[in-house]
Amino acid sequence: MIPYGRQDIRKEDIDAVVDVLKSDFLTQGPAVPRFEEAIATAASAPHAVAMNSATSALHVACAALDLGPGDSLWTSPNTFVASANCARYCGADVDFVDLDPSTGNMCAQSFADKLELAERDGKLPKIVVPVHLAGQSCEMDRIGQLAKRYGIRVIEDASHAIGGAYQGKPVGACEHSDITIFSFHPVKIVTSAEGGAAVTRDAQLANRMARLRSHGITRDPLEMTHEPDGPWYYQQIELGWNYRITDVQAALGTQQMARLDQYVARRNALADRYDKLLSDTSVGLPGRQDDALSAFHLYVVRVEADAHRRIFEGLRQRGVGVNLHYIPVHLQPYYRQLGFGDGDFPNAERYYAEAISIPLFPTMMEEMQDEVVRALLSELE
């Protein structure tokens, strides 16, 4: 079976993990700051806060921006549930903005139209979470301008997109957002086994997110209510969580980050080759923005809806480990119970009915890619 994604673990990765296992620190040691420095450098952002998952990072980002009951967060319906669940963890409401059919990303025009109606009704969101599906940035220039006009905070869910770029700057530079979130799950661009990070240009937000990932505890005397009782002293000054990443994971992640540019270049080369191999077929190819470099976490094709399931199942039977990204969040039972239903976001629902993620990973050989294309073309006949 050719998987849709696969991690690349090398000897230097294993050696780095073993070094940590032999050290005095398995967690809360020096490996985590090194990982954070590598992330911040890659994103051209001054601050990075590493955590045990991107889901944790989304939650902490929302909490750091004071999202709570009575507030609402808007995101894309075409994403993993974590992009919406982070609002529910904070007691806030969720709504969605339909997607651009070409890219699968949040549609900036739909966002503008929805904001106009929300302002009229007095129901503007506090936070918007655009999701960079498959590794390609949303139209952040326009989304950011709209958010600024309406006084909305922006969290970029770039779980798919570390190593990508938008308008000549790395995804994560936070040119049009308050915080950007990355994921380091095994099938992502680089991995720390499980892990995530929040990057920001705001030192106060970074400090608060670092505190919230560790129970809301501080050891900084300047943040305490009184002078420390002694050198052992700490205070919990707000409610936080244990979302810390370990040094073991951080060591792996740091080694992987050193190869980030290589991984993204290889993914783009494979994506370009898919484009050529499938250019004269009925398959719908991923839309690309002229001012964005996709990290190509995924390569998503589109097929006729009435043949979608047959083709998907046929590819798996042929040993091609295809997947589907994503089931629209608003159609999940939990969100249906909140009042969402069929027809609410038609572009997302159509995307779901047609999309198939075919294999793409940096160690993929061209022979494997040829096998995927042959299988797909056979299923199209």
Side-chain angles (χ1 to χ4, degrees):
M1 178 73 75
I2 302 173
Y4 86 90
R6 175 184 285 163
Q7 67 268 24
D8 174 36
I9 303 298
R10 303 183 184 179
K11 183 179 184 299
E12 55 264 36
D13 301 326
I14 296 169
D15 290 344
V17 169
V18 171
D19 287 344
V20 170
L21 292 173
K22 292 179 177 178
S23 76
D24 292 333
F25 294 96
L26 298 186
T27 190
Q28 300 185 76
V32 174
R34 286 197 294 269
F35 186 32
E36 291 173 331
E37 182 179 358
I39 296 165
T41 298
S44 291
H47 309 287
V49 183
M51 297 180 222
N52 59 8
S53 71
T55 298
S56 298
L58 282 163
H59 184 190
V60 163
C62 288
L65 294 174
D66 295 315
L67 186 72
D71 297 327
S72 69
L73 175 150
W74 293 359
T75 189
S76 170
N78 189 29
T79 183
F80 187 57
V81 293
S83 307
N85 288 351
C86 57
R88 302 298 294 159
Y89 300 152
C90 296
D93 295 326
V94 174
D95 203 350
F96 302 95
V97 179
D98 212 353
L99 54 86
D100 178 337
S102 172
T103 63
N105 282 336
M106 179 182 288
C107 176
Q109 185 58 52
S110 295
F111 183 46
D113 295 342
K114 194 176 182 87
L115 284 172
E116 186 176 344
L117 293 173
E119 183 182 43
R120 184 195 65 191
D121 296 338
K123 294 182 178 179
L124 286 169
K126 186 168 189 174
I127 294 175
V128 63
V129 181
V131 179
H132 303 331
L133 183 73
Q136 180 168 224
S137 174
C138 294
E139 193 180 343
M140 288 308 304
D141 188 2
R142 190 172 179 198
I143 290 173
Q145 289 176 11
L146 287 163
K148 187 175 182 180
R149 182 191 309 171
Y150 287 94
I152 300 165
R153 310 302 290 269
V154 181
I155 301 171
E156 296 178 65
D157 186 343
S159 294
H160 294 182
I162 193 167
Y166 177 70
Q167 295 184 341
K169 295 186 178 181
V171 170
C174 295
E175 290 290 312
H176 308 289
S177 63
D178 298 281
I179 300 168
T180 299
I181 305 301
F182 295 128
S183 172
F184 305 109
H185 183 274
V187 296
K188 296 302 197 305
I189 310 301
V190 298
T191 186
S192 58
E194 283 280 6
V199 298
T200 183
R201 308 191 72 81
D202 187 317
Q204 290 185 333
L205 277 178
N207 182 60
R208 190 172 184 203
M209 288 191 292
R211 187 170 66 235
L212 286 168
R213 74 173 168 186
S214 190
H215 303 282
I217 286 173
T218 184
R219 293 183 181 274
D220 184 351
L222 296 178
E223 295 178 340
M224 295 181 183
T225 58
H226 58 75
E227 288 293 317
D229 293 349
W232 63 85
Y233 196 65
Y234 62 85
Q235 284 187 349
Q236 181 189 345
I237 61 175
E238 60 182 324
L239 183 63
W241 305 273
N242 182 0
Y243 285 167
R244 296 186 299 261
I245 193 170
T246 68
D247 276 47
V248 176
Q249 293 166 296
L252 173 58
T254 302
Q255 285 295 320
Q256 293 263 312
M257 287 295 296
R259 303 195 293 273
L260 175 62
D261 290 344
Q262 298 173 36
Y263 285 150
V264 172
R266 178 59 178 162
R267 286 174 176 275
N268 271 269
L270 289 167
D272 290 344
R273 191 165 184 269
Y274 267 141
D275 283 354
K276 291 178 182 178
L277 292 170
L278 297 170
S279 61
D280 293 327
T281 72
S282 62
V283 173
L285 304 182
R288 303 201 196 189
Q289 293 187 115
D290 292 336
D291 57 356
L293 171 71
S294 177
F296 270 109
H297 163 53
L298 302 170
Y299 189 92
V300 182
V301 299
R302 307 277 289 275
V303 299
E304 292 293 332
D306 58 2
H308 181 256
R309 181 166 181 170
R310 176 185 60 77
I311 293 171
F312 187 97
E313 292 178 345
L315 286 169
R316 285 198 169 178
Q317 290 170 2
R318 292 174 182 271
V320 178
V322 291
N323 214 325
L324 202 159
H325 301 85
Y326 286 97
I327 304 167
V329 179
H330 69 285
L331 299 183
Q332 294 290 351
Y334 174 79
Y335 285 93
R336 285 183 182 272
Q337 292 170 12
L338 298 179
F340 297 103
D342 297 300
D344 286 350
F345 303 98
N347 289 341
E349 292 170 35
R350 181 180 177 189
Y351 192 95
Y352 170 58
E354 300 175 348
I356 300 177
S357 299
I358 62 176
L360 179 68
F361 47 91
T363 58
M364 187 179 196
M365 298 293 101
E366 291 185 356
E367 294 80 6
M368 299 169 73
Q369 195 174 27
D370 291 339
E371 184 177 342
V372 171
V373 171
R374 282 195 298 269
L376 177 57
L377 295 181
S378 294
E379 291 299 324
L380 289 172
E381 292 177 353

